[in-house]
Protein backbone atom coordinates (compact mmCIF):
# COMPACT_ATOMS: atom_id res chain seq x y z
CA UNK A 1 0.00 0.00 0.00
CA UNK A 2 1.20 3.52 -0.81
CA UNK A 3 2.02 5.95 1.98
CA UNK A 4 -1.17 7.41 3.45
CA UNK A 5 -1.02 11.17 3.03
CA UNK A 6 -2.64 13.17 5.82
CA UNK A 7 -2.92 16.92 5.51
CA UNK A 8 -3.04 18.97 8.72
CA UNK A 9 -5.01 22.22 8.97
CA UNK A 10 -5.28 24.65 11.81
CA UNK A 11 -7.45 27.69 12.37
CA UNK A 12 -4.70 29.54 14.25
CA UNK A 13 -2.09 31.70 12.54
CA UNK A 14 -0.31 32.43 15.82
CA UNK A 15 3.41 31.71 15.71
CA UNK A 16 3.42 29.91 19.06
CA UNK A 17 -0.02 28.36 18.46
CA UNK A 18 -0.85 25.41 20.69
CA UNK A 19 -2.87 23.90 17.86
CA UNK A 20 0.04 24.17 15.44
CA UNK A 21 2.31 22.72 18.13
CA UNK A 22 -0.06 19.79 18.56
CA UNK A 23 -0.02 19.18 14.80
CA UNK A 24 3.79 19.26 14.85
CA UNK A 25 3.74 16.72 17.67
CA UNK A 26 1.30 14.64 15.63
CA UNK A 27 3.86 14.54 12.80
CA UNK A 28 6.10 12.50 15.08
CA UNK A 29 3.24 10.24 16.21
CA UNK A 30 1.72 9.14 12.88
CA UNK A 31 1.63 5.38 12.47
CA UNK A 32 4.05 3.70 10.12
CA UNK A 33 2.96 3.95 6.51
CA UNK A 34 1.44 7.40 6.96
CA UNK A 35 2.78 10.96 6.79
CA UNK A 36 1.40 14.29 7.93
CA UNK A 37 1.96 17.54 6.05
CA UNK A 38 0.88 20.76 7.78
CA UNK A 39 -0.58 23.40 5.47
CA UNK A 40 -0.10 27.12 5.97
CA UNK A 41 -3.45 28.88 5.46
CA UNK A 42 -2.14 32.42 6.01
CA UNK A 43 -1.96 33.40 2.32
CA UNK A 44 -5.53 32.38 1.48
CA UNK A 45 -7.60 35.53 0.87
CA UNK A 46 -11.16 36.04 2.08
CA UNK A 47 -13.62 34.13 0.00
CA UNK A 48 -15.16 36.34 -2.66
CA UNK A 49 -17.52 34.86 -5.18
CA UNK A 50 -16.45 37.49 -7.74
CA UNK A 51 -13.02 35.88 -7.85
CA UNK A 52 -14.51 32.59 -9.00
CA UNK A 53 -15.14 33.98 -12.49
CA UNK A 54 -11.43 34.26 -13.35
CA UNK A 55 -8.16 32.67 -12.37
CA UNK A 56 -8.21 31.83 -8.67
CA UNK A 57 -5.60 33.24 -6.27
CA UNK A 58 -2.55 30.94 -6.31
CA UNK A 59 -2.85 30.15 -2.59
CA UNK A 60 -6.41 28.93 -3.12
CA UNK A 61 -5.47 26.71 -6.06
CA UNK A 62 -2.56 25.26 -4.12
CA UNK A 63 -4.76 24.59 -1.09
CA UNK A 64 -7.40 22.82 -3.15
CA UNK A 65 -4.77 20.68 -4.87
CA UNK A 66 -3.31 19.62 -1.52
CA UNK A 67 -6.77 18.69 -0.28
CA UNK A 68 -7.53 16.75 -3.45
CA UNK A 69 -4.29 14.77 -3.22
CA UNK A 70 -4.67 13.96 0.48
CA UNK A 71 -6.00 10.63 1.69
CA UNK A 72 -7.18 12.23 4.93
CA UNK A 73 -7.43 15.52 6.82
CA UNK A 74 -6.47 16.27 10.40
CA UNK A 75 -8.02 19.49 11.69
CA UNK A 76 -6.60 21.11 14.82
CA UNK A 77 -8.60 24.09 15.84
CA UNK A 78 -8.86 26.73 18.52
CA UNK A 79 -12.33 27.81 19.62
CA UNK A 80 -13.07 31.47 18.90
CA UNK A 81 -16.12 32.72 20.74
CA UNK A 82 -17.56 29.21 20.89
CA UNK A 83 -17.11 28.68 17.16
CA UNK A 84 -14.87 28.10 14.14
CA UNK A 85 -11.94 30.49 13.58
CA UNK A 86 -12.42 32.42 10.31
CA UNK A 87 -9.11 31.29 8.83
CA UNK A 88 -10.21 27.67 8.89
CA UNK A 89 -13.82 28.27 7.83
CA UNK A 90 -12.63 30.49 4.97
CA UNK A 91 -10.18 27.95 3.58
CA UNK A 92 -12.75 25.17 3.70
CA UNK A 93 -15.40 27.42 2.13
CA UNK A 94 -13.04 27.96 -0.82
CA UNK A 95 -12.48 24.22 -1.22
CA UNK A 96 -16.22 23.53 -0.94
CA UNK A 97 -16.80 25.51 -4.14
CA UNK A 98 -14.61 23.35 -6.36
CA UNK A 99 -16.63 21.39 -8.91
CA UNK A 100 -14.47 18.31 -8.35
CA UNK A 101 -15.62 18.35 -4.69
CA UNK A 102 -12.21 17.57 -3.14
CA UNK A 103 -13.68 17.47 0.36
CA UNK A 104 -16.51 15.04 -0.35
CA UNK A 105 -16.04 11.74 1.42
CA UNK A 106 -12.60 12.76 2.72
CA UNK A 107 -11.70 10.86 5.90
CA UNK A 108 -11.22 13.59 8.52
CA UNK A 109 -10.29 13.67 12.18
CA UNK A 110 -10.48 16.74 14.34
CA UNK A 111 -9.30 17.91 17.71
CA UNK A 112 -9.19 21.21 19.51
CA UNK A 113 -6.74 22.89 21.85
CA UNK A 114 -7.84 25.68 24.13
CA UNK A 115 -6.43 27.64 27.01
CA UNK A 116 -9.66 27.04 28.92
CA UNK A 117 -10.91 23.98 30.72
CA UNK A 118 -13.44 22.78 28.13
CA UNK A 119 -10.74 22.34 25.52
CA UNK A 120 -12.81 23.67 22.64
CA UNK A 121 -15.83 21.36 23.03
CA UNK A 122 -18.17 23.89 21.48
CA UNK A 123 -16.17 24.53 18.33
CA UNK A 124 -16.00 20.81 17.64
CA UNK A 125 -19.77 20.55 17.38
CA UNK A 126 -19.94 23.58 15.08
CA UNK A 127 -17.22 21.99 12.99
CA UNK A 128 -19.07 18.69 12.84
CA UNK A 129 -22.21 20.49 11.64
CA UNK A 130 -20.13 22.31 9.00
CA UNK A 131 -18.63 18.94 8.07
CA UNK A 132 -22.07 17.70 7.04
CA UNK A 133 -22.34 20.53 4.50
CA UNK A 134 -18.87 19.71 3.21
CA UNK A 135 -19.75 16.00 3.10
CA UNK A 136 -16.58 15.11 5.01
CA UNK A 137 -16.24 11.57 6.30
CA UNK A 138 -15.72 12.61 9.90
CA UNK A 139 -14.32 10.30 12.51
CA UNK A 140 -16.70 10.27 15.50
CA UNK A 141 -14.39 8.72 18.09
CA UNK A 142 -12.17 9.34 19.89
CA UNK A 143 -13.14 12.89 20.75
CA UNK A 144 -10.00 14.80 21.69
CA UNK A 145 -10.43 18.05 23.61
CA UNK A 146 -7.17 19.45 24.92
CA UNK A 147 -7.86 22.01 27.64
CA UNK A 148 -5.66 24.05 29.94
CA UNK A 149 -3.10 24.25 27.16
CA UNK A 150 -0.86 26.58 29.13
CA UNK A 151 0.00 23.64 31.37
CA UNK A 152 0.66 21.21 28.51
CA UNK A 153 2.69 23.27 26.04
CA UNK A 154 5.72 25.49 26.46
CA UNK A 155 5.69 29.19 25.53
CA UNK A 156 6.74 28.36 21.95
CA UNK A 157 3.78 26.05 21.45
CA UNK A 158 5.70 22.77 21.82
CA UNK A 159 3.59 19.96 23.26
CA UNK A 160 5.12 18.59 26.46
CA UNK A 161 2.31 16.55 27.96
CA UNK A 162 2.73 12.78 27.50
CA UNK A 163 -0.95 11.96 28.12
CA UNK A 164 -1.95 14.35 25.31
CA UNK A 165 0.57 12.68 22.99
CA UNK A 166 -1.04 9.32 23.77
CA UNK A 167 -4.50 10.67 22.96
CA UNK A 168 -3.25 12.11 19.66
CA UNK A 169 -1.66 8.77 18.80
CA UNK A 170 -4.99 6.98 19.32
CA UNK A 171 -6.73 9.59 17.14
CA UNK A 172 -4.14 9.21 14.36
CA UNK A 173 -4.46 5.43 14.41
CA UNK A 174 -8.23 5.69 14.16
CA UNK A 175 -7.91 8.09 11.22
CA UNK A 176 -5.54 5.78 9.37
CA UNK A 177 -7.94 2.88 9.98
CA UNK A 178 -10.77 4.96 8.55
CA UNK A 179 -8.70 5.54 5.41
CA UNK A 180 -7.91 1.84 5.11
CA UNK A 181 -11.58 0.85 5.53
CA UNK A 182 -12.42 3.00 2.50
CA UNK A 183 -9.73 1.51 0.21
C1 LIG B 1 -10.92 35.77 19.32
C2 LIG B 1 -10.71 34.71 20.37
C3 LIG B 1 -11.81 34.08 20.91
C4 LIG B 1 -11.62 33.05 21.85
N1 LIG B 1 -12.71 32.36 22.30
C5 LIG B 1 -12.52 31.25 23.05
C6 LIG B 1 -13.63 30.39 23.35
O1 LIG B 1 -14.76 30.64 22.97
N2 LIG B 1 -13.38 29.27 24.06
C7 LIG B 1 -12.12 28.93 24.47
O2 LIG B 1 -11.95 27.89 25.09
N3 LIG B 1 -11.04 29.72 24.21
C8 LIG B 1 -11.23 30.87 23.51
N4 LIG B 1 -10.16 31.66 23.18
C9 LIG B 1 -8.84 31.36 23.76
C10 LIG B 1 -8.09 30.31 22.98
O3 LIG B 1 -8.40 29.03 23.51
C11 LIG B 1 -6.59 30.55 23.10
O4 LIG B 1 -6.27 31.83 22.62
C12 LIG B 1 -5.78 29.48 22.38
O5 LIG B 1 -4.45 29.62 22.73
C13 LIG B 1 -5.92 29.60 20.88
O6 LIG B 1 -5.25 28.56 20.23
P1 LIG B 1 -3.81 28.74 19.56
O7 LIG B 1 -2.81 28.72 20.69
O8 LIG B 1 -3.66 27.55 18.68
O9 LIG B 1 -3.77 30.04 18.83
C14 LIG B 1 -10.31 32.70 22.27
C15 LIG B 1 -9.22 33.38 21.72
C16 LIG B 1 -9.41 34.35 20.78
C17 LIG B 1 -8.20 35.02 20.16
Amino acid sequence: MNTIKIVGLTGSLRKASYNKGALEAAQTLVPQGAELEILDLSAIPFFNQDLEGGELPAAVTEFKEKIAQADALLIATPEYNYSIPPVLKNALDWASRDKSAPLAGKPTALFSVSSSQLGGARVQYHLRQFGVALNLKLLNRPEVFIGMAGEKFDENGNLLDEETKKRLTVLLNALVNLVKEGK
Side-chain angles (χ1 to χ4, degrees):
M1 196 183 190
N2 294 335
T3 302
I4 292 174
K5 283 192 216 149
I6 306 171
V7 156
L9 313 175
T10 175
S12 176
L13 300 182
R14 207 164 70 84
K15 216 176 184 181
S17 159
Y18 299 133
N19 284 278
K20 183 155 64 73
L23 278 181
E24 285 163 359
Q27 282 183 308
T28 69
L29 302 169
V30 280
Q32 228 179 358
E35 62 184 25
L36 170 61
E37 180 186 5
I38 302 170
L39 301 190
D40 177 4
L41 306 183
S42 61
I44 298 179
F46 279 133
F47 178 78
N48 179 344
Q49 210 170 340
D50 291 341
L51 297 178
E52 291 187 304
E55 198 177 323
L56 291 178
V60 172
T61 304
E62 198 185 323
F63 174 68
K64 291 199 298 186
E65 280 171 6
K66 291 278 185 191
I67 296 284
Q69 287 158 11
D71 295 301
L73 307 181
L74 178 64
I75 299 177
T77 188
E79 177 173 281
Y80 280 1
N81 297 312
Y82 297 6
S83 193
I84 307 167
V87 167
L88 178 63
K89 173 85 167 45
N90 183 57
L92 292 170
D93 279 339
W94 271 114
S96 77
R97 299 285 295 172
D98 195 290
K99 287 194 177 59
S100 70
L103 294 166
K106 189 74 74 183
T108 302
L110 58 93
F111 67 90
S112 51
V113 190
S114 152
S115 52
S116 83
Q117 202 149 14
L118 284 180
R122 293 159 296 209
V123 66
Q124 287 205 20
Y125 293 110
H126 276 195
L127 206 44
R128 286 187 183 278
Q129 185 181 6
F130 181 38
V132 175
L134 302 175
N135 200 14
L136 294 172
K137 188 176 182 183
L138 270 170
L139 188 71
N140 288 327
R141 297 278 194 281
E143 294 184 294
V144 179
F145 308 104
I146 306 169
M148 308 304 282
E151 297 171 7
K152 294 170 182 157
F153 293 77
D154 70 15
E155 68 281 7
N156 297 316
N158 299 304
L159 176 59
L160 306 174
D161 185 59
E162 290 304 320
E163 182 54 35
T164 302
K165 287 182 190 171
K166 278 188 205 153
R167 291 167 66 203
L168 288 177
T169 304
V170 173
L171 183 72
L172 287 162
N173 279 305
L175 178 61
V176 166
N177 286 339
L178 188 68
V179 173
K180 287 180 179 166
E181 279 167 19
K183 292 228 179 225

